[in-house]
Amino acid sequence: MLLVRYLDLVLLAVALPVFLAAGLPLLGWGAAAAAWLAQRALQAYTNRKAVAADDPRKTVAIITGSMIGRGWLVALTIFAAGLSDNDAGLSAAVLVIVLFTAYFTVSMILRPFEQNPEQPV
């Protein structure tokens, strides 16, 4: 079950040999990996803060700000890679879309089975 929960990170690791074999720009993989790992770490931190908050408005503000900020972080990282090299930006964007799709799908499937489903995702 742990492997399924972190499928996005498994796909990120598997993507590196694919990038190498296909001759895709490593800047694209590096940008996507850095942005994805940073936003996952930020998500874990803000979720802990949101769960610890006493005020429901503060919880919603933390979750909402986190979602918006993480989206901007990933988008700006892809944009920066694309400014450096068009192919790197495209490959980073495609990789992030794959990672997000895997993460979101797994989250929706596993949500009903979590012990404490009230925690923010």
Side-chain angles (χ1 to χ4, degrees):
M1 190 65 113
L2 189 63
L3 183 66
V4 174
R5 178 173 305 281
Y6 296 107
L7 180 63
D8 59 323
L9 300 179
V10 171
L11 288 174
L12 181 60
V14 168
L16 180 57
V18 171
F19 268 64
L20 291 171
L24 296 171
L26 288 181
L27 174 62
W29 184 86
W36 191 258
L37 293 173
Q39 73 86 22
R40 287 277 285 179
L42 187 60
Q43 178 192 26
Y45 172 75
T46 55
N47 279 355
R48 283 194 302 276
K49 288 290 190 187
V51 168
D54 295 331
D55 183 18
R57 289 179 292 184
K58 186 174 182 180
T59 300
V60 170
I62 292 169
I63 294 169
T64 304
S66 169
M67 292 166 91
I68 293 169
R70 291 183 295 123
W72 275 98
L73 170 72
V74 172
L76 290 175
T77 304
I78 292 169
F79 184 68
L83 285 177
S84 174
D85 177 11
N86 284 341
D87 291 337
L90 177 61
S91 62
V94 170
L95 179 55
V96 166
I97 289 170
V98 169
L99 296 173
F100 176 78
T101 302
Y103 173 77
F104 186 73
T105 302
V106 167
S107 295
M108 292 298 104
I109 291 169
L110 294 182
R111 187 83 161 157
F113 302 107
E114 290 179 353
Q115 290 181 355
N116 192 358
E118 291 84 34
Q119 290 184 355
V121 171

